[in-house]
């Protein structure tokens, strides 16, 4: 490549990190060189500067500067990613967490504490373990979306490029319905409602943080309903994000002065309860409903993780049929 070119991000590449997108299209370009190109503004996304960790959206334009002759790099073989080493126990746990599997889709009940993708300080993550979820398929399953490391529950994997693209499109166009359960400290003033609070990213020494920003932030909308309460001490909320901002539900709950239990990042010490309530994050992707790539509708739910079930039992919260109703505007 001897001149500047532009590449359009395909549907099947939505939510892919920029560095992984680059590795897919230009495998002869090392990570160090890419970082230099990003620092100097030679690689841009929709005309703006970007980072290696930037998540791409379908239809975006990536500016690609001259990258040299790929033929000259053939003498040095491209290092292929290797499946992450995992104990037999971890592999068995992961395979047992499959809630649904067919020829196109896998739905996983992601355990709390397992990062979806790698990052600083992440030695183990789901993306590095996907080879153990092939189940005889030639292709490695692909992540369709993400959950925070400490959030448990429903996570979609596409078993083919076409299925991954179809699932990603359904998520982007609101054809999908997501249902989250959370335990929050205190009780919302209104039993149900819609939170509209724009958010923006604030970098810092303690890691990326989302903050309310009505002037320059991106629109973020969440529906919620109170299902049950433990007096005024805590409340069980059902929530449906209508937008997909980072940490959206966590920031929105904190903005209502009812932080999610265990969320010290946004709730500080006020996010913890005493007694038999775990200090882990109490946020669970309970269910998802969306068009199946092969036709019909796919609807899957994940049971509460052990630490949340223990808190439910301690506080006397009991599951009801109404808790699984999809929230609508």
């Amino acid at each position: 490549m001897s001149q500047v070119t532009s590449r359009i991000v395909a549907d099947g590449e939505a939510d892919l990190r920029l560095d992984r997108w680059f590795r897919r299209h230009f495998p002869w370009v090392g990570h160090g060189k890419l970082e230099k190109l990003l620092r100097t503004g030679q690689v841009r996304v929709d005309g703006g500067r970007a980072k290696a960790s930037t998540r791409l959206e379908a239809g975006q334009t990536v500016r690609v500067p001259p990258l040299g002759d790929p033929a000259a790099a053939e003498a040095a073989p491209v290092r292929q990613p290797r499946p992450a080493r995992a104990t037999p126990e971890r592999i068995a746990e992961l395979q047992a967490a499959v809630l649904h599997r067919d020829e196109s889709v896998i739905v996983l009940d992601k355990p709390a504490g397992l990062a979806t993708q790698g990052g600083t300080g992440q030695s183990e993550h789901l993306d590095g373990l996907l080879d153990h979820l092939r189940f005889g398929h030639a292709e490695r399953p692909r992540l369709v979306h993400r959950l925070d490391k400490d959030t448990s529950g429903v996570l979609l994997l596409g078993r083919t490029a076409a299925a991954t693209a179809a699932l990603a499109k359904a998520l982007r166009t609101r054809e999908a319905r997501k249902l989250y359960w959370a335990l929050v400290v205190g009780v919302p003033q209104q039993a149900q409602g819609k939170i509209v609070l724009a958010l923006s990213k604030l970098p810092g020494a303690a890691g990326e943080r989302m903050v309310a920003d009505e002037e320059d932030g991106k629109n973020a909308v969440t529906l919620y309903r109170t299902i049950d309460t433990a007096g005024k001490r805590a409340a069980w909320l059902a929530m449906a994000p209508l937008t997909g901002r980072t940490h959206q539900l966590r920031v929105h709950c904190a903005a209502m002065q009812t932080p999610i239990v265990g969320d010290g990042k946004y709730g500080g010490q006020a996010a913890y309860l005493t007694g038999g309530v775990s200090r882990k994050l109490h946020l669970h992707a309970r269910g998802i409903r969306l068009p199946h790539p092969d036709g019909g509708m796919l609807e899957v739910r994940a049971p509460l993780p052990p630490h949340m079930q223990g808190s439910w039992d301690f506080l006397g919260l009991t599951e009801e049929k109404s808790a699984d109703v999809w929230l609508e505007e």
Side-chain angles (χ1 to χ4, degrees):
M1 295 180 62
S2 59
Q3 59 184 5
V4 174
T5 60
S6 296
R7 292 285 188 98
I8 304 298
V9 178
D11 283 349
E13 297 171 330
D15 208 34
L16 199 65
R17 283 172 55 115
L18 179 57
D19 54 359
R20 292 191 174 95
W21 180 90
F22 232 84
R23 192 180 309 139
R24 178 180 295 184
H25 290 276
F26 312 105
W28 68 91
V29 178
H31 186 76
K33 182 174 181 179
L34 174 60
E35 287 285 3
K36 182 176 180 180
L37 294 171
L38 289 166
R39 284 196 304 271
T40 56
Q42 296 182 68
V43 173
R44 293 174 176 260
V45 177
D46 281 350
R49 287 179 176 265
K51 298 180 180 180
S53 60
T54 296
R55 297 283 172 182
L56 297 174
E57 299 178 6
Q60 286 186 314
T61 301
V62 180
R63 180 190 188 274
V64 182
L67 298 174
D69 183 5
E74 289 181 358
V78 177
R79 184 179 178 184
Q80 296 296 330
R82 296 179 180 178
R85 293 182 180 180
T87 64
E89 291 76 16
R90 172 58 94 182
I91 296 171
E93 177 190 21
L94 200 60
Q95 293 178 345
V98 172
L99 299 168
H100 171 89
R101 187 179 96 210
D102 57 43
E103 287 301 305
S104 298
V105 183
I106 291 175
V107 184
L108 190 71
D109 183 6
K110 187 191 83 65
L114 178 63
T116 305
Q117 291 181 304
T120 304
Q122 298 295 339
S123 59
E124 184 183 54
H125 50 84
L126 179 60
D127 195 27
L129 299 170
L130 292 181
D131 281 284
H132 301 296
L133 295 176
R134 288 176 182 261
F135 297 108
H137 259 224
E139 293 185 61
R140 187 176 190 265
R142 300 164 172 85
L143 291 167
V144 178
H145 61 122
R146 294 172 295 154
L147 291 176
D148 290 348
K149 176 182 177 180
D150 295 321
T151 301
S152 59
V154 172
L155 189 69
L156 292 171
L157 306 175
R159 302 192 77 183
T160 66
T164 304
L167 293 167
K169 181 180 179 181
L171 290 173
R172 288 197 311 275
T173 57
R174 291 197 187 181
E175 293 181 274
R177 291 287 181 270
K178 292 181 180 180
L179 178 65
Y180 283 78
W181 283 356
L183 183 68
V184 299
V185 179
V187 179
Q189 290 186 355
Q190 296 182 344
Q192 63 182 34
K194 180 167 70 172
I195 307 166
V196 181
L197 182 64
L199 306 175
S200 62
K201 295 180 181 179
L202 181 68
E208 190 175 76
R209 180 184 177 89
M210 301 299 291
V211 295
D213 186 350
E214 294 290 1
E215 185 174 344
D216 299 317
K218 293 184 178 180
N219 185 47
V221 183
T222 300
L223 304 178
Y224 76 92
R225 182 166 59 86
T226 305
I227 298 170
D228 198 3
T229 63
K232 295 183 179 180
R233 188 182 185 192
W236 168 15
L237 302 186
M239 294 186 291
L242 301 186
T243 52
R245 309 302 174 209
T246 301
H247 297 172
Q248 175 177 319
L249 301 181
R250 297 166 63 179
V251 180
H252 279 177
C253 284
M256 290 196 299
Q257 304 299 312
T258 54
I260 297 176
V261 172
D263 188 9
K265 185 180 185 79
Y266 292 105
Q269 287 303 309
Y272 299 98
L273 294 173
T274 58
V277 177
S278 170
R279 291 178 65 85
K280 293 182 179 180
L281 184 69
H282 284 58
L283 179 61
H284 178 63
R286 169 60 175 175
I288 196 164
R289 184 177 188 271
L290 78 171
H292 192 286
D294 300 331
M297 296 296 292
L298 175 65
E299 185 171 321
V300 185
R301 289 176 171 83
L304 282 173
H307 74 280
M308 289 182 67
Q309 186 61 63
S311 298
W312 257 238
D313 294 341
F314 177 78
L315 294 171
L317 303 173
T318 56
E319 294 190 22
E320 308 172 358
K321 290 184 179 179
S322 62
D324 271 332
V325 174
W326 305 102
L327 302 184
E328 303 284 351
E329 287 190 277

